[in-house]
Amino acid sequence: RGFTRISLCTNGRRLAKQEVLDALVDAGATRFTVSIHSHEPAVEDRINGRRGSFAQKLAGIDNLVRTAAAGRLPDGASLNGCIHGLNFDRLDAMARFFHARGVRDIRFNFIRPEHKAVASRELVPRLSDCIPGALALILETRRLRGMTVTFGDIPLCLWPVSFLGNSAVARRHIGELRDLDTD
């Protein structure tokens, strides 16, 4: 029908079966984004409420990395990480973990206080408490060759003025500046 990009956002669990991924790619999918909450199995499984979900997601991510490396995903694959109270201070470790598995693109979005997270002080940290970890990860990306890391749903007013003042760096890492580019 003329579509040149077909992107799927998924929890990635069914992609653990290579034949499922192959069927989706054969049907025209050109990009996948996998939602993930942690690089720690216990945290991922707890948030999902499904024992074993981390292992399934990891197998799916590994399949995506191999499929992309084989040139079958022209628009790539990425992770859609959620910043929450159980990982906001370990985002750099999460990025290193997935970088070592071949992932080269992660978008971190701040948790929305809905469903299980409604009024949960454990799951919903203060936005301002997330900035140090985000800045540490931005510095870490200099060592993670080829890694792209962006952040979304963090108000611009919380980022340090010195960081926002470097427009090239801010555009590279802040989703609201990157995604709405109208240049």
Side-chain angles (χ1 to χ4, degrees):
R1 298 190 180 226
F3 292 104
T4 58
R5 181 179 176 146
I6 298 173
S7 181
L8 297 175
C9 184
T10 173
N11 67 22
R13 293 175 61 200
R14 293 196 61 209
L15 302 179
K17 296 180 179 181
Q18 184 67 50
E19 61 272 13
V20 171
L21 176 55
D22 289 342
L24 291 167
V25 172
D26 291 344
T30 64
R31 178 177 176 78
F32 288 85
T33 301
V34 175
S35 298
I36 192 125
H37 301 89
S38 181
H39 65 293
E40 299 172 11
V43 173
E44 182 68 33
D45 289 357
R46 177 178 169 202
I47 289 179
N48 280 313
R50 301 260 194 275
R51 181 175 283 151
S53 68
F54 179 78
Q56 289 174 320
K57 285 184 175 200
L58 203 54
I61 290 166
D62 290 344
N63 286 341
L64 282 171
V65 167
R66 281 192 300 277
T67 301
R72 296 194 64 217
L73 290 175
D75 296 315
S78 68
L79 300 184
N80 189 11
C82 182
I83 301 171
H84 52 76
L86 304 176
N87 76 355
F88 75 94
D89 57 347
R90 294 188 297 281
L91 300 178
D92 54 346
M94 188 171 168
R96 281 192 305 273
F97 176 86
F98 286 110
H99 182 269
R101 296 192 83 87
V103 172
R104 295 297 179 259
D105 185 35
I106 301 178
R107 167 65 173 257
F108 285 101
N109 293 299
F110 189 77
I111 190 170
R112 293 189 178 165
E114 50 192 35
H115 307 297
K116 289 182 189 178
V118 170
S120 171
R121 291 185 187 265
E122 179 185 37
L123 290 178
V124 184
R126 293 172 45 101
L127 274 162
S128 57
D129 291 341
C130 298
I131 296 298
L135 291 171
L137 176 52
I138 288 168
L139 289 174
E140 179 75 15
T141 59
R142 294 179 182 165
R143 288 181 289 245
L144 299 176
R145 301 220 184 262
M147 177 68 94
T148 300
V149 173
T150 56
F151 294 90
D153 300 325
I154 297 176
L156 292 176
C157 63
L158 291 177
W159 293 101
V161 173
S162 58
F163 174 69
L164 292 174
N166 185 333
S167 63
V169 173
R171 278 186 183 268
R172 188 166 45 247
H173 296 288
I174 298 177
E176 284 75 12
L177 297 177
R178 179 186 177 103
D179 298 344
L180 303 177
D181 190 8
T182 57
D183 290 345

